Amino acid sequence: MSHKKYPFTLNEQLYLRDPERTLLGKKMVESAITLMDQQGFEHLTFRKLAAEIPSTEASIYRYFEDKYQLLRYLVAWYWEWLNYRLDQLEHIPADPGKRLRQALEMLANSAIYDPFFAHVDEAALCRIVVRESPKIYLTLDSQDNQALFMGYEKLLAKIGAMIHELEPNYARPKALVSSLIETAHRQILFAQYMPRLTELKIKDGDYSEIAVFLEQMTLAMLKSPTL
Amino acid sequence: MSHKKYPFTLNEQLYLRDPERTLLGKKMVESAITLMDQQGFEHLTFRKLAAEIPSTEASIYRYFEDKYQLLRYLVAWYWEWLNYRLDQLEHIPADPGKRLRQALEMLANSAIYDPFFAHVDEAALCRIVVRESPKIYLTLDSQDNQALFMGYEKLLAKIGAMIHELEPNYARPKALVSSLIETAHRQILFAQYMPRLTELKIKDGDYSEIAVFLEQMTLAMLKSPTL
Amino acid sequence: MSHKKYPFTLNEQLYLRDPERTLLGKKMVESAITLMDQQGFEHLTFRKLAAEIPSTEASIYRYFEDKYQLLRYLVAWYWEWLNYRLDQLEHIPADPGKRLRQALEMLANSAIYDPFFAHVDEAALCRIVVRESPKIYLTLDSQDNQALFMGYEKLLAKIGAMIHELEPNYARPKALVSSLIETAHRQILFAQYMPRLTELKIKDGDYSEIAVFLEQMTLAMLKSPTL
Amino acid sequence: MSHKKYPFTLNEQLYLRDPERTLLGKKMVESAITLMDQQGFEHLTFRKLAAEIPSTEASIYRYFEDKYQLLRYLVAWYWEWLNYRLDQLEHIPADPGKRLRQALEMLANSAIYDPFFAHVDEAALCRIVVRESPKIYLTLDSQDNQALFMGYEKLLAKIGAMIHELEPNYARPKALVSSLIETAHRQILFAQYMPRLTELKIKDGDYSEIAVFLEQMTLAMLKSPTL
DNA sequence: CATGAATGAGGCTTCATTCAT
DNA sequence: GATGAATGAAGCCTCATTCAT
């Protein structure tokens, strides 16, 4: 397990000891996701995490400075994972419109389990990112900021490039793609927990209504004359 | 001050004693907004809040069960305030398109100070809503949920009705309006704190780029054939 | 109600304002018994009591200095009530042995509701006395002590006199009667909550096994040569 | 000290970390007994206990869940200690009557210091048991109950067996022995703090009057025909 | 490298009491 | 005489972190 090549790497600022390199570290990540998802980041403590693993608080301190670094690690992991999935798609040759549509579909499915990473519950991780990341944005110093949003920026760049292929003159690709990403997250959240705030539905793990909404928004914006 | 008619009322579930009815209560709201904005909800404690007012923890507990209820109060206040502002706009007779444009402009300006409520720093409150509300969504039982999102739903209904006037056949007004609201919040956040994630800029309190982006998105969606 | 002649009076040290003289006062006594029985004296507070009545903390302070005085009031009330019941029995002329037996039976039934005092749940009050009175014994200064145990001493004197009639030479009537009283309390407690500590049973409110045990103990002691 | 074999063990439900195994734990027990005896269980707090040791509240919480578990620990310790003392007596071969008399004498002396347990003030502990245990009886769920009263039950069984040797047909040995135990406690209490409730006296640590009273009660009951 | 133990600081909440009406 | 509001002090408990093994 620890010998399998890991398909992406995270900045060293995001941990003290790389949790992917030991079994104990992987359990930390796994349990941290479970606990944060269930109780919220605010109520996570190293004591509870240690009890869940089970291990000791002191052991966790060897891997992460504090729970904030652990959260940053998870959020950064999430963005890198989306990039990794996007890269997988690009192996498939296709016309620009189809590739963009696939990318949007992937965003709509951003809460879906990836068996390649056995110890990560991506659906739970996505909920964590949705809930907690706005808070991180406003707390960070620029150092941490860099490490965290490299993944987000790469994503904007890649999907922005697809847009450029389709509509070379579109003026605000980053604003559009970041809106698409955030809209995907929000509409998934609303569909699942506050159905009175949207008409979109998720039925039995089928996110196609979300995907269609994103596609519609994208196409409309690209055709629309920039005001 | 206490005789001035308050233009909207909040559900009784949102407090123990109505903070609008006493000077002490208003100070609580004012200081809570300041502290939450500066340190984040997680780091707010009634002890710190009491020190800021200044008063005592025990006094605050007479008004709010805990800091979670206080946060729910603030978020609900925010949505009711947006409704109130929207109602102000509607007094002005205008053609449907112009009224919708005014509504979107108001959303783009949702972080702007309203002198009518002297003790509320709306810009700070908006940041709080952006940062903390996703967390509330996932923590609530349905009781609290109701009280909290009545304001949000009313907003969707009102702007939805404007859309209906312009485009009676549009199929997903709630999904569209909730996306517009959330996009407004996000783009404001990105423009201010993570400028590498969007091209939109806010210059000297001028939110017009945000407003234009929202209008463009709206018009594009309404013209676009529903897929 | 407040005009009905009260059949016994309590020392003025036991209250600030006589609770028997107002409806509010009676509710205090009634609710205090309920709460102390259910949650224990330690967890009783004037706030909870006020909420139960319902009234305010400040009102209760008009009647009792603090919860300790309230407890002393209740315990003293209990002993006076037992005296009152004993006096009722003595109205019935009977032979000494029968009268003593009736007294013991009354002790065995000390947890039984007396409809004359509508606002007092004697069974609950008895549990309170059993649970809390040992604590009072060791906390009191002699002033309070006097007021509290007058009732207990009168009871010892009365039943001691009956014993004297039967067995004029018995040397330790107070030790015997106080043991009987305490044994009654304890065996009732054990029968109800810790049945593995005694063979005695209480079936459907029938305390006769307890009564028989007390009678047996009394008779045996009186016949036995004092060592 | 930690190597000396401890002559009895307490159920694991009665603590989080065994206080007998560390110096800090022993100090907790010692100081808890002192404070509870002086101020009463109700006024004991982990803060005060920590100050007395001296240590911190957090450290105490590693040993005991709360002060209720600490009280349960002490009460259970007390009953196990009586059993231990009874077992010591039984090493001495003797005729049944003499052994029973020795057992009763031990009960009458249940407040006497045992130098084997240097950190336990048994006289204080006995007062605590007398004052506080009735309260525990009525608060317990059955789980805790089991752990607490195993010691009491064992005591009843052992002394009950002695009675059986003397009077094989006696019908209610548990009721008798539990009454003897409780009478011992009560008469000691009365003799020391409320001398007007009993003729029995304790002079200079001489509990023989109590012992004689218990013996008399026992013999009388055993000779008495069961009603 | 991992663990068991300890603890200063601070979180959340309630209490007991008083004051003004 | 009764009530509503306010508050200093203290309750209970957990956290974040360090140290020694």
Side-chain angles (χ1 to χ4, degrees), chain C residues 138, chain D residues 32-41 121 123-125 127-128 131 193:
Chain C
L138 296 180
Chain D
I33 291 172
T34 305
L35 286 178
M36 268 194 217
D37 180 42
Q38 286 171 356
Q39 312 190 1
F41 173 72
D121 176 348
L125 180 54
R127 282 189 291 271
I128 293 167
R131 247 185 306 174
Y193 299 97

Side-chain angles (χ1 to χ4, degrees), chain D residues 107-120:
Chain D
L107 290 182
N109 283 279
S110 50
I112 277 186
Y113 180 62
D114 184 340
F116 189 86
F117 304 96
H119 63 298
V120 177

Side-chain angles (χ1 to χ4, degrees), chain D residues 148-159:
Chain D
L148 239 182
F149 290 106
M150 245 181 292
Y152 203 127
E153 286 181 44
K154 283 195 291 184
L155 210 55
L156 294 190
K158 283 176 190 164
I159 303 182

Side-chain angles (χ1 to χ4, degrees), chain D residues 76-207:
Chain D
W77 194 98
Y78 176 79
W79 295 121
E80 288 298 335
W81 174 65
L82 286 192
N83 272 285
Y84 159 76
R85 288 177 67 203
L86 198 59
D87 293 342
Q88 301 288 88
L89 293 182
E90 288 187 344
H91 293 151
I92 303 159
D95 71 284
K98 192 169 177 193
R99 271 174 48 206
L100 179 56
R101 194 167 306 160
Q102 283 187 322
L104 296 175
E105 202 173 331
M106 187 210 70
L107 290 182
N109 283 279
S110 50
I112 277 186
Y113 180 62
D114 184 340
F116 189 86
F117 304 96
H119 63 298
V120 177
D121 176 348
E122 285 84 2
L125 180 54
C126 181
R127 282 189 291 271
I128 293 167
V129 170
V130 169
R131 247 185 306 174
E132 312 295 351
S133 63
K135 184 167 45 192
I136 312 180
Y137 302 161
L138 295 180
T139 326
L140 290 178
D141 56 47
S142 51
Q143 272 291 76
D144 297 328
N145 208 314
Q146 287 295 53
L148 239 182
F149 290 106
M150 245 181 292
Y152 203 127
E153 286 181 44
K154 283 195 291 184
L155 210 55
L156 294 190
K158 283 176 190 164
I159 303 182
M162 296 179 191
I163 286 174
H164 186 73
E165 283 186 82
L166 282 172
E167 202 66 54
N169 296 320
Y170 185 68
R172 298 192 271 264
K174 290 198 287 189
L176 175 55
V177 179
S178 63
S179 292
L180 289 168
I181 292 172
E182 302 293 326
T183 294
H185 280 161
R186 270 299 179 285
Q187 293 297 322
I188 292 170
L189 182 69
F190 289 171
Q192 290 178 332
Y193 299 97
M194 293 132 71
R196 303 177 65 166
L197 302 185
T198 185
E199 293 90 1
L200 304 178
K201 304 263 175 280
I202 297 167
K203 287 166 193 155
D204 304 324
D206 173 12
Y207 291 78

Side-chain angles (χ1 to χ4, degrees), chain B residues 17 55-56 58-59 63:
Chain B
R17 202 207 287 321
S55 176
T56 66
S59 296
Y63 286 81

Side-chain angles (χ1 to χ4, degrees), chain A residues 43-84:
Chain A
H43 294 116
L44 179 75
T45 66
F46 277 10
R47 176 173 307 176
K48 289 180 193 168
L49 181 53
E52 179 81 11
I53 292 180
S55 176
T56 65
E57 292 158 284
S59 298
I60 300 173
Y61 275 96
R62 299 260 173 183
Y63 288 81
F64 296 103
E65 281 174 5
D66 50 36
K67 68 174 185 170
Y68 302 95
Q69 192 183 45
L70 174 49
L71 176 59
R72 290 198 299 273
Y73 177 89
L74 293 180
V75 172
W77 193 100
Y78 176 79
W79 295 121
E80 289 299 335
W81 174 67
L82 285 191
N83 273 285
Y84 158 77

